Amino acid sequence: MRNPLTDIFGVDSNVAVLRELVRHGAALSNSDIQNRSGLSKSSVRLGIISLEQSGIVVSEGSRATKLHRFNETHFLAPQIAALYDAEKNRFTEIIDTVRNSAGDRRSLLKSLWIYGSVARKEDGLESDLDIGLIADKENLLGVVETVRENLREPATRLGFLPNVVGLDLEDVAQLAQQADPWWSTTIQDAVVLVGDRPENVPNHGGSNVHG
């Protein structure tokens, strides 16, 4: 009676299951929730049981075709939905801020991307936001400084720590030629925000990107 949020948000699986149901806005099966959330089958099952008991999730159908949905009539439903909206909007704003962080130097970018745990969706509270960019050698320092400066205020306001790594075309070619492990992992993780994929940039010579 006094602290229902303890039961609703008590374990990670509850939070993750509820997130998918709120964001989807309609009924989902256990397997749908599992695919969307990355949780194990047992974690989804236990999360659903707990959330049903709290009344924030309702289920319909037979065991074989059972579907679950966020209970919008629950007394805490508006506040919980607002929390998940705020979470989603914050991340969208972070990505948009990084995408636009080069400002009037954006045309000098060959590529801008995020990589690491955030790109892999494995980040935790202590994770940095790893950002890579490629520019011509003569422009690289200025572009990196601009990106870092433009991220300073939003990083404080939105609560993230940007880690910006700048490369020129020679750096990229050398890393690729040496099959550098960091480079291999970086391009595997890369979520491109501006321009070409980083491993493809040297193939386009010196042309600027206006993405």
Side-chain angles (χ1 to χ4, degrees):
M1 181 68 67
R2 187 182 301 276
N3 300 310
L5 288 175
T6 301
D7 294 321
I8 293 173
F9 293 127
V11 293
D12 293 348
S13 59
N14 288 28
V15 176
V17 168
L18 194 54
R19 177 183 292 115
E20 300 309 323
L21 292 173
V22 170
R23 290 185 178 177
H24 182 64
L28 291 170
S29 67
N30 281 38
S31 59
D32 288 333
I33 297 170
Q34 184 180 347
N35 292 334
R36 288 169 173 266
S37 66
L39 293 171
S40 67
K41 184 176 181 180
S42 61
S43 293
V44 171
R45 182 176 61 82
L46 292 173
I48 289 294
I49 291 172
S50 175
L51 293 168
E52 282 180 327
Q53 289 173 344
S54 72
I56 197 65
V57 166
V58 292
S59 302
E60 305 160 342
S62 64
R63 182 174 181 180
T65 60
K66 204 166 190 179
L67 297 176
H68 317 283
R69 61 176 174 82
F70 177 55
N71 182 9
E72 295 181 349
T73 65
H74 190 277
F75 57 89
L76 288 173
Q79 292 78 13
I80 289 174
L83 279 174
Y84 283 112
D85 283 343
E87 179 187 63
K88 181 180 178 181
N89 292 340
R90 168 183 174 262
F91 186 69
T92 298
E93 186 174 354
I94 289 172
I95 295 301
D96 286 344
T97 298
V98 174
R99 180 180 288 111
N100 297 314
S101 60
D104 59 6
R105 294 177 181 257
R106 179 168 171 152
S107 63
L108 301 176
L109 287 170
K110 308 294 184 183
S111 181
L112 175 72
W113 70 96
I114 62 170
Y115 64 98
S117 60
V118 177
R120 295 193 302 270
K121 301 181 181 180
E122 297 174 355
D123 50 300
L125 287 175
E126 303 302 319
S127 297
D128 295 347
L129 177 57
D130 295 313
I131 302 164
L133 66 86
I134 300 172
D136 288 330
K137 181 174 289 188
E138 62 269 25
N139 299 316
L140 181 60
L141 182 59
V143 172
V144 170
E145 289 180 349
T146 297
V147 168
R148 287 174 176 164
E149 182 59 32
N150 286 342
L151 289 177
R152 197 180 307 278
E153 183 279 329
T156 300
R157 176 169 51 85
L158 295 170
F160 70 99
L161 183 62
N163 176 33
V164 182
V165 174
L167 304 169
D168 61 36
L169 298 181
E170 292 180 12
D171 294 329
V172 173
Q174 187 174 19
L175 289 167
Q177 184 178 16
Q178 295 174 347
D180 182 86
W182 173 82
W183 179 245
S184 298
T185 301
T186 298
I187 61 177
Q188 182 178 346
D189 294 344
V191 176
V192 177
L193 303 180
V194 177
D196 287 330
R197 287 197 57 80
E199 69 270 26
N200 294 336
V201 167
N203 297 332
H204 297 291
S207 61
N208 284 337
V209 171
H210 300 272

